[in-house]
Amino acid sequence: MEASTFDELKDNLRTQDYELKQYLELIEHLEHLEKIAIRKKHKSEQINIQLKISVSSCYLLFYNIIEHVCRESFLLVDASICEHTQDYSFLNLHLKGEYLKRIRQITLKPGIFDLLKNNILINAIKELKIDKKDLFNGNISNKIISAQLGKFGITNFKPDINTNGGADLDRIKQIRNELTHGEKSFVEMQQELKSSAQIEDEWERVRTYLEDLIEVCDQAIHQRYFLADSCDE
């Protein structure tokens, strides 16, 4: 679900939140069935395996939502800079440096040096837009997110106790990578995980983290933080 505005991205997150909670209800139902079977001393191996696989799969859903929100947030920031900046000279010093770094990291297209020599017009900035394929590779963590925000010069994103300081993202990344790389089976992984109630608490912290991230990026663009002081409106 690509987002063209931050409001649309917020709507996407609300939809994903609803769908995830439906999935958590399914896990709760399987937990309930397993408890009934245990009480009746008819423990079902099938229900037990289904429950373990469902719990582990939940973390793949977590990670996909995290990657979606982070990717779209950063692409929207980058696109807004291109849209609202008339000239390279209008950018603040931090972003001027960031765009020069990008120039060194890419294969330059014909004519881009001419643009750079001529006051580095907005056309040059558009040539240097972020490629979403280069943003993440299964490695999203609080540290990676903070680093990417830092490249934009956004420094006021401070995960707090309500989001566990962003530590949940590191745990989710580790679980996701162990599952997708086949280091552990879904059944094996579940033995290290939590109940549906604890997982839901974990998701609430992650959702709050993502909501805060969207808000910080949205406010930064709204305030035209990327412009040099002399060009502020």
Side-chain angles (χ1 to χ4, degrees), residues 103-116:
I103 290 170
R104 300 189 192 102
Q105 294 172 351
I106 67 172
T107 301
L108 297 177
K109 297 182 180 180
I112 198 169
F113 270 125
D114 291 333
L115 292 170
L116 293 171

Side-chain angles (χ1 to χ4, degrees), residues 111-128:
I112 198 169
F113 270 125
D114 291 333
L115 292 170
L116 293 171
K117 291 175 183 176
N118 292 288
N119 204 26
I120 313 186
L121 302 178
I122 188 63
N123 290 348
I125 295 177
K126 289 180 179 177
E127 290 283 348
L128 299 170

Side-chain angles (χ1 to χ4, degrees), residues 44-219:
S44 168
E45 184 65 21
Q46 182 182 26
I47 292 176
N48 182 259
I49 291 176
Q50 288 174 344
L51 176 58
K52 289 179 177 179
I53 292 173
S54 297
V55 168
S56 296
S57 297
C58 201
Y59 284 83
L60 298 183
L61 297 177
F62 280 8
Y63 186 86
N64 288 343
I65 295 172
I66 292 167
E67 182 169 294
H68 167 75
V69 170
C70 293
R71 182 185 65 244
E72 295 303 312
S73 292
F74 296 153
L75 290 175
L76 284 170
V77 170
D78 203 49
S80 295
I81 292 172
C82 292
E83 179 183 355
H84 297 292
T85 305
Q86 301 302 314
D87 191 297
Y88 173 87
S89 63
F90 289 1
L91 292 173
N92 62 42
L93 286 175
H94 180 91
L95 280 173
K96 283 180 180 178
E98 179 57 31
Y99 277 103
L100 290 175
K101 288 179 185 176
R102 290 191 199 180
I103 290 170
R104 300 189 192 102
Q105 294 172 351
I106 67 172
T107 301
L108 297 177
K109 297 182 180 180
I112 198 169
F113 270 125
D114 291 333
L115 292 170
L116 293 171
K117 291 175 183 176
N118 292 288
N119 204 26
I120 313 186
L121 302 178
I122 188 63
N123 290 348
I125 295 177
K126 289 180 179 177
E127 290 283 348
L128 299 170
K129 284 181 68 175
I130 289 176
D131 186 339
K132 66 180 180 181
K133 292 182 291 186
D134 296 333
L135 274 175
F136 307 116
N137 186 26
N139 66 341
I140 297 179
S141 64
N142 181 54
K143 183 177 180 180
I144 292 292
I145 292 168
S146 296
Q148 182 60 53
L149 289 172
K151 290 180 180 180
F152 288 129
I154 299 174
T155 58
N156 61 330
F157 181 61
K158 307 292 184 183
D160 58 21
I161 191 171
N162 294 322
T163 59
N164 199 22
D168 293 310
L169 274 72
D170 298 330
R171 169 181 158 81
I172 291 167
K173 178 190 75 170
Q174 179 183 349
I175 293 171
R176 178 262 186 192
N177 287 344
E178 289 180 354
L179 289 172
T180 55
H181 297 157
E183 296 174 20
K184 292 182 180 178
S185 72
F186 285 76
V187 172
E188 290 173 332
M189 180 59 75
Q190 191 276 337
Q191 296 172 4
E192 303 177 13
L193 301 179
K194 307 172 182 177
S195 68
S196 60
Q198 292 171 313
I199 292 173
E200 186 167 1
D201 288 341
E202 189 171 20
W203 167 245
E204 290 300 317
R205 294 193 298 270
V206 170
R207 192 198 66 205
T208 300
Y209 179 103
L210 296 176
E211 290 172 341
D212 290 348
L213 173 66
I214 294 172
E215 189 62 29
V216 165
C217 291
D218 192 10
Q219 286 298 315

